[in-house]
Amino acid sequence: EADIYQTPRYLVIGTGKKITLECSQTMGHDKMYWYQQDPGMELHLIHYSYGVNSTEKGDLSSESTVSRIRTEHFPLTLESARPSHTSQYLCASSAGTSGGAGEQYFGPGTRLTVT
Amino acid sequence: AQSVTQLDSHVSVSEGTPVLLRCNYSSSYSPSLFWYVQHPNKGLQLLLKYTSAATLVKGINGFEAEFKKSETSFHLTKPSAHMSDAAEYFCVFTGGFKTIFGAGTRLFVKA
């Protein structure tokens, strides 16, 4: 069982609210990732981090932001939620020694609904 | 450019029959390849991985995959499907500082 946690698991929130999706891992992995996945669709990388104070945007443009102040913690924030942000957000981490190589361990996901 | 193609969006099999989920990749780098499974409302779980060792890789729950460089394929198989195998399966490529997910194949298992 992978030691990566996401909270909340489900969130329903109104338009315009600020939200933060939490992701923590206890494996000491340097690399962490956020993916967005619409129902029945593929995963799209929206943010990643190769270590503390390192954050990069992924392949899919996102209005969210991330921070990496501690190795184990990689929160994602939406300053003003909109219905178009309704999706599932998956956090992952890996101990790959170079680039993206290495298996990723996934959290259970946060299913966000913006009304 | 690197890419991953899962050739079937849906596969339907009867319980007890073989499973074949197809994945092709394109890359000029030596790839690492993975298969993940996602059950409804759950995160992704690693089934197996290929990282340039043995070309036939055995994973959990009776799944295995064979890396065929000449065919640029990494198809996932299982000799006998179980109802609990019904899920979404993702083929994933990493190489050259990129991680690319396939679009997914939904496996249906009929009783």
Side-chain angles (χ1 to χ4, degrees), chain A residues 9-10 33 35 37 40-43 45 50 59 88 90 98-109 111, chain B residues 32 34 36 38 41-46 49 51 88 90 92 94-104 106:
Chain A
R9 291 291 313 277
Y10 303 92
Y33 314 83
Y35 294 88
Q37 183 186 30
M41 303 294 285
E42 64 209 87
L43 278 73
L45 181 67
Y50 282 170
D59 303 320
Q88 174 159 254
L90 289 165
S98 62
E103 65 192 80
Q104 296 184 24
Y105 295 86
F106 284 82
R111 187 168 296 280
Chain B
S32 294
F34 307 81
Y36 287 85
Q38 185 180 32
N41 299 315
K42 297 286 182 63
L44 276 72
Q45 180 185 19
L46 180 69
K49 61 181 177 181
T51 54
E88 186 92 15
F90 292 93
V92 181
T94 68
F97 298 92
K98 292 276 286 185
T99 297
I100 302 172
F101 279 75
R106 183 163 295 278

Side-chain angles (χ1 to χ4, degrees), chain A residues 4 25 27 29 31-33 91-95 103-105:
Chain A
I4 181 163
Q25 51 97 3
M27 296 173 282
H29 288 167
K31 297 178 175 62
M32 295 190 74
Y33 314 83
C91 181
S93 71
S94 73
E103 65 192 80
Q104 296 184 24
Y105 295 86

